Amino acid sequence: MRKLVTSVLAGIGLTLACGTSVYAQEKSLTIFWAEWDPANYLQELGNEYEKETGVKITVETTPWADFQTKAFTEFNAKGSAYDLVVGDSQWLGAASEGGHYVDLTDFVKENKVLDKMAPATVKFYSEYPGNSGKYWSIPAEGDAVGWAYRKDWFEDPKEMEAFKAKYGYELAVPKTFKEMTDIAEFFNRPDQNRYGIAIYTQNQYDGLAMGFENALFSYGGELGDFSTYKVDGIINSDKAVAAAENYRKLFGFTPPGWTNAFFVENNQAITENLAAMSMNYFAFFPSLINEASNPNAKNTGFFANPAGPGGEQFAALGGQGISVVSYSNNKEEAMKFLQWFIKDETQKKWAALGGYTCNKSVLESAEFQNATPYNKAFYDTMFKVKDFWAVPEYAELLQQLNQRVYPYIVNGDGTAKDMLDALAKDWDATFKKYGRVQ
């Protein structure tokens, strides 16, 4: 149920000596987000805003499974329950084309958001259509896919000696996919219940897609042309094929039954001594440095997604931007909140609370990078992120990717080339169906 934030004086007539009746109304904003720790941090930040301005902030949450449905049900009803929403980047197409988000292009330009935030985050959290220069949100909760690893395994002198003898170079945090694959192979010891790596394989939503994108983007591959929607020759390019082949190879070094793995399982790979390295969103790394939730916390390190064979280094984007809802009765106040939110000092507070800032000056500061064991890897990542399609039909595109990629990665069905050729045909047909290509 929506929390009422009106003042207790609202609606109560106060009779003055002259007989005039006035009404006191407390200014307030309601922000809608999914139910997780960053939403709690945003509420704390909102409490700071109330102290400074007198405007009450209520962060209303709902479980992740219901988040999109509940948000778009309210949007489609043109309801005013929410003034702002922290929505997924994939919503940009549907929310902007449906008239649900306020166009923030002028706000972005006037407030120099492109100068304040890491450019890649503005491009993928805020801009739609791709390369259009039109913006619908402000980067809020930065996130991407990075890696955790077992420092004690990597730094064991015997392991280091054995690794160098086998591969001809020092065992260290991998800088390339080749090195990461070598390390995964080296530590893969089923007879010891020890495995090389944990990757995303769940295909119910975007787990597998995010994992595959980590390889695809660093191999120099792309999903397609976001301006023309051309996909043939891009998603099935030689670089994309090589990326899929490598992701399939990494799957061979995962723990047994690793066919439906996402963020929970991949953290367990570290906490339960299963794998040398584990892929996950940065948003789930805080529990890995907490000894209460990770008995290996002191021996857990972190690194950014490595470079591919051509030297490109990118990572799959997670996280969300914050948008003003078109049907809000408090759009002017919502804009004032956004102006406050993007200030450097506010972003420092956001980061200190536990939010993942996208602010360039904060990310680049030694204070931020040294604050946690994973902040440096997060900084390295957030200037090198890429995202999935943000068009309204993204759910169909995602389902088609899952249906094609999963059987190849998990079961080894067919070849990477055949699989990606089929995906290109699927996507081309979908874009034709929606009139994006002829």
Side-chain angles (χ1 to χ4, degrees):
M1 180 181 293
R2 186 185 175 203
K3 297 178 182 177
L4 296 175
V5 292
T6 51
S7 166
V8 293
L9 295 178
I12 300 176
L14 300 179
T15 304
L16 304 181
C18 61
T20 303
S21 182
V22 297
Y23 296 85
Q25 172 71 52
E26 181 185 68
K27 290 183 178 179
S28 64
L29 291 170
T30 299
I31 304 173
F32 188 49
W33 203 358
E35 188 178 278
W36 64 329
D37 286 344
N40 300 329
Y41 308 148
L42 185 60
Q43 182 63 72
E44 292 185 57
L45 195 69
N47 295 341
E48 292 290 322
Y49 186 71
E50 182 180 4
K51 291 177 184 177
E52 292 184 26
T53 67
V55 177
K56 184 173 180 60
I57 302 294
T58 299
V59 179
E60 182 176 322
T61 63
T62 195
W64 274 106
D66 303 327
F67 182 38
Q68 180 174 337
T69 299
K70 190 171 181 180
F72 276 87
T73 297
E74 183 70 9
F75 295 162
N76 291 330
K78 298 185 178 181
S80 59
Y82 316 127
D83 302 301
L84 301 107
V85 62
V86 187
D88 277 342
S89 56
Q90 280 83 16
W91 297 6
L92 285 176
S96 61
E97 291 188 16
H100 308 314
Y101 283 174
V102 171
D103 186 337
L104 296 180
T105 303
D106 290 341
F107 179 95
V108 167
K109 293 176 180 177
E110 291 168 5
N111 292 277
K112 300 181 179 178
V113 174
L114 285 164
D115 295 331
K116 292 178 181 291
M117 301 291 181
T121 67
V122 182
K123 179 177 179 60
F124 291 110
Y125 289 139
S126 308
E127 186 181 33
Y128 181 83
N131 304 316
S132 67
K134 292 188 70 67
Y135 302 98
W136 304 92
S137 72
I138 302 301
E141 172 71 1
D143 201 4
V145 179
W147 297 86
Y149 74 101
R150 288 294 298 271
K151 292 193 294 184
D152 50 340
W153 295 12
F154 275 55
E155 296 168 4
D156 184 312
K158 292 182 179 178
E159 300 287 13
M160 294 174 72
E161 182 181 359
F163 183 88
K164 187 171 183 179
K166 182 173 182 178
Y167 295 97
Y169 62 93
E170 301 290 344
L171 175 60
V173 171
K175 293 183 173 59
T176 68
F177 260 81
K178 181 186 183 306
E179 291 174 1
M180 187 164 67
T181 305
D182 287 347
I183 294 169
E185 179 184 60
F186 175 73
F187 279 115
N188 196 56
R189 303 164 193 176
D191 58 328
Q192 300 175 24
N193 197 33
R194 179 180 286 195
Y195 301 89
I197 200 164
I199 62 173
Y200 286 166
T201 58
Q202 189 183 93
N203 67 340
Q204 279 89 341
Y205 185 55
D206 66 352
L208 176 62
M210 296 289 288
F212 170 59
E213 284 175 339
N214 251 23
L216 176 71
F217 296 147
S218 277
Y219 265 70
E222 299 286 354
L223 297 168
D225 187 318
F226 281 17
S227 299
T228 65
Y229 304 101
K230 174 179 169 58
V231 290
D232 190 30
I234 301 177
I235 186 56
N236 53 345
S237 68
D238 291 344
K239 291 179 178 179
V241 169
E245 290 173 343
N246 188 257
Y247 202 71
R248 163 68 184 164
K249 186 173 183 179
L250 290 176
F251 175 75
F253 306 129
T254 61
W258 215 253
T259 58
N260 189 38
F262 202 9
F263 53 88
V264 173
E265 293 78 12
N266 279 21
N267 265 8
Q268 289 174 340
I270 295 294
T271 63
E272 298 178 8
N273 304 303
L274 286 174
M277 300 171 288
S278 181
M279 153 187 292
N280 223 332
Y281 289 111
F282 280 91
F284 298 105
F285 285 158
S287 66
L288 292 185
I289 63 171
N290 184 342
E291 293 184 27
S293 52
N294 180 18
N296 304 307
K298 292 181 179 178
N299 289 313
T300 301
F302 305 88
F303 61 92
N305 195 48
E312 293 98 337
Q313 185 179 12
F314 295 97
L317 182 74
Q320 296 88 27
I322 184 168
S323 300
V324 178
V325 179
S326 296
Y327 318 111
S328 164
N329 295 319
N330 305 298
K331 288 192 278 292
E332 184 177 346
E333 285 297 333
M335 293 293 192
K336 290 178 182 177
F337 175 79
L338 290 184
Q339 286 179 319
W340 178 83
F341 181 75
I342 65 174
K343 289 181 178 179
D344 290 353
E345 55 266 36
T346 305
Q347 288 294 303
K348 287 180 183 178
K349 292 178 182 178
W350 177 230
L353 287 168
Y356 278 100
T357 181
C358 298
N359 178 278
K360 284 197 293 188
S361 64
V362 177
L363 289 171
E364 291 169 349
S365 69
E367 180 182 3
F368 174 83
Q369 292 181 31
N370 296 323
T372 75
Y374 46 78
N375 274 15
K376 176 61 166 62
F378 180 76
Y379 157 74
D380 290 338
T381 302
M382 292 311 292
F383 289 84
K384 301 175 180 179
V385 287
K386 295 186 178 185
D387 200 12
F388 194 71
W389 299 99
V391 291
E393 62 270 21
Y394 82 90
E396 290 181 46
L397 301 170
L398 182 60
Q399 182 181 37
Q400 289 165 339
L401 182 147
N402 283 329
Q403 289 173 341
R404 294 297 184 183
V405 177
Y406 185 86
Y408 170 74
I409 298 298
V410 172
N411 300 322
D413 293 353
T415 68
K417 174 63 174 168
D418 289 343
M419 177 267 291
L420 291 175
D421 283 346
L423 179 59
K425 290 180 180 178
D426 292 341
W427 281 359
D428 186 59
T430 297
F431 286 135
K432 285 178 179 176
K433 181 172 71 172
Y434 287 93
R436 301 194 185 279
V437 295
Q438 299 302 313

